[in-house]
Amino acid sequence: MPARRFAWIAILLIAACAAPPPTRTVQPPIRVATTISAQPFTAAATDRTANPGTTFEITLAASTSDLLDQVASGGVIGITLFLPGESTLWGTPLGEEPLAVIINPASPTNDLTLTQVQDIFAGRATGWAVAVREDGDDSRLAFESLTETKPALTSLVAPSPEAMLKFVAETPNGIGYLPLRWVTESVKALTIDDRQPTDADYKLKALIVAVAKEEPSGPAREWLGRLQR
């Protein structure tokens, strides 16, 4: 038998005896629910470039209560700017989100005291057209908790961050608030007690919280750990 034939037989025998390639385990996506106010943070936190090899399934919750309901069903990590004190869900802080008080850019006002902010949004100060987010929005819950105020009945309700930006940008005496990541150049963010929203001692900072039915494990736990570094 020619040597070339023996060589081919040897190759075929080696190939037949070779172990099959290992089966690659595909991790299921991490399921994440986010409020619209926390959406810019969540988008950055789930960016594929920053999380190679990790996939996410993201849903937008209609309100804080809707997010907590999704989380309570299990298998979902919620991202919110406000966790009610009476909640029995597992939670961990991921960082802070400044709540910027925004006004029309043509206004000469650049700074307000916290007391003035409280008076304006409670309806005790005149001359402002006040807008607040809708009832149940986590940025509204956080803002009211931080300022210890409830909005006046005459306040306009902005049903989305985009609606808030549009109202303030088009209203000469308009004033409202938004998470800083939502603020654009169409409005002006005020300093509060001479502190910029980006300053460490700015007083109106919401806590970004990850919420789950129980403490996550595996890739979800590793992902949250990376966010906290």
Side-chain angles (χ1 to χ4, degrees):
M1 186 178 290
R4 183 176 296 178
R5 187 173 179 183
F6 278 118
W8 277 111
I9 292 173
I11 292 172
L12 291 173
L13 287 172
I14 292 171
C17 295
T23 302
R24 185 178 179 181
T25 302
V26 178
Q27 293 288 348
I30 299 173
R31 297 173 60 203
V32 180
T34 180
T35 61
I36 191 169
S37 290
Q39 191 176 25
F41 172 85
T42 304
T46 56
D47 181 77
R48 288 189 176 184
T49 303
N51 298 278
T54 305
T55 58
F56 300 89
E57 181 183 301
I58 304 169
T59 58
L60 187 62
S63 64
T64 303
S65 60
D66 176 43
L67 180 136
L68 297 181
D69 286 344
Q70 291 187 45
V71 169
S73 66
V76 178
I77 297 174
I79 307 294
T80 179
L81 303 184
F82 186 83
L83 181 63
E86 68 274 13
S87 174
T88 58
L89 295 169
W90 177 89
T92 188
L94 301 178
E96 292 180 319
E97 178 70 35
L99 299 179
V101 177
I102 57 174
I103 62 172
N104 188 283
S107 172
T109 301
N110 293 306
D111 180 79
L112 291 173
T113 66
L114 182 58
T115 298
Q116 288 175 315
V117 171
Q118 292 169 324
D119 288 342
I120 290 169
F121 283 91
R124 297 189 293 266
T126 60
W128 295 96
V130 178
V132 298
R133 289 298 311 281
E134 73 275 16
D135 189 27
D137 170 71
D138 51 336
S139 69
R140 173 170 169 171
L141 292 168
F143 185 82
E144 292 177 5
S145 176
L146 290 165
T147 60
E148 300 180 339
T149 61
K150 292 293 183 183
L153 296 177
T154 54
S155 300
L156 179 142
V157 175
S160 68
E162 294 89 350
M164 178 69 81
L165 288 169
K166 179 177 174 61
F167 170 77
V168 174
E170 296 179 354
T171 307
N173 63 335
I175 187 170
Y177 55 82
L178 278 177
L180 186 60
R181 285 178 173 86
W182 271 106
V183 175
T184 69
E185 293 182 354
S186 66
V187 297
K188 177 166 61 174
L190 296 177
T191 59
I192 305 300
D193 290 330
D194 295 318
R195 298 292 187 271
Q196 298 280 353
T198 52
D199 288 343
D201 54 351
Y202 182 73
K203 296 178 179 177
L204 301 180
K205 285 187 177 182
L207 197 63
I208 304 169
V209 184
V211 190
K213 185 176 182 180
E214 56 190 18
E215 185 172 358
S217 59
R221 181 185 178 87
E222 294 172 5
W223 169 61
L224 293 176
R226 292 195 298 271
L227 294 179
Q228 292 176 319
R229 292 171 189 164

